[in-house]
Amino acid sequence: MTVREPEFGDDDRAWMAALAYWRDTRCPLCGGDIRDCTGPEGEITVKVPPPRRCRATDALLDERQRYKDSPKPGALLFRTEVHRRRG
Ligand SMILES: [Zn+2]
């Protein structure tokens, strides 16, 4: 007979439940708490700060463009590596 330790402890299960709750309360459109962004009009205000540019996506879009004429470009898997300059 093989006795195995439970794969997840009480703390692990509590963290997973908290993560599931957090995910369940996210708005699929804006990513915020759905109870906030769907609040009654007049009870919430929404501000949109100026956009920031994601340098990784910028580079990724350039790279995809470079491969656009290759066979089945939609099947290519790209990834980015972001390195912070030192000094
Ligand atoms: Zn939302």
Side-chain angles (χ1 to χ4, degrees):
M1 183 172 135
T2 302
V3 178
R4 294 188 178 161
E5 290 288 318
E7 193 171 348
F8 301 108
D10 289 343
D11 281 354
D12 298 323
R13 280 190 286 277
W15 277 109
M16 286 188 278
L19 178 59
Y21 174 78
W22 183 84
R23 286 181 177 156
D24 287 348
T25 57
R26 295 302 95 190
C27 170
L29 297 177
C30 71
D33 189 316
I34 200 163
R35 294 164 297 184
D36 293 335
C37 70
T38 60
E41 207 166 338
E43 288 188 18
I44 63 167
T45 57
V46 177
K47 292 181 179 172
V48 181
R52 298 170 63 188
R53 179 165 295 275
C54 171
R55 308 279 180 226
T57 301
D58 219 28
L60 190 59
L61 291 173
D62 288 346
E63 200 63 11
R64 282 189 177 143
Q65 184 66 22
R66 210 161 71 81
Y67 284 88
K68 72 176 175 35
D69 295 325
S70 69
K72 300 178 185 173
L76 296 174
L77 292 171
F78 294 91
R79 65 188 184 92
T80 59
E81 295 177 359
V82 178
H83 302 276
R84 184 174 291 273
R85 285 190 188 144
R86 294 181 187 178

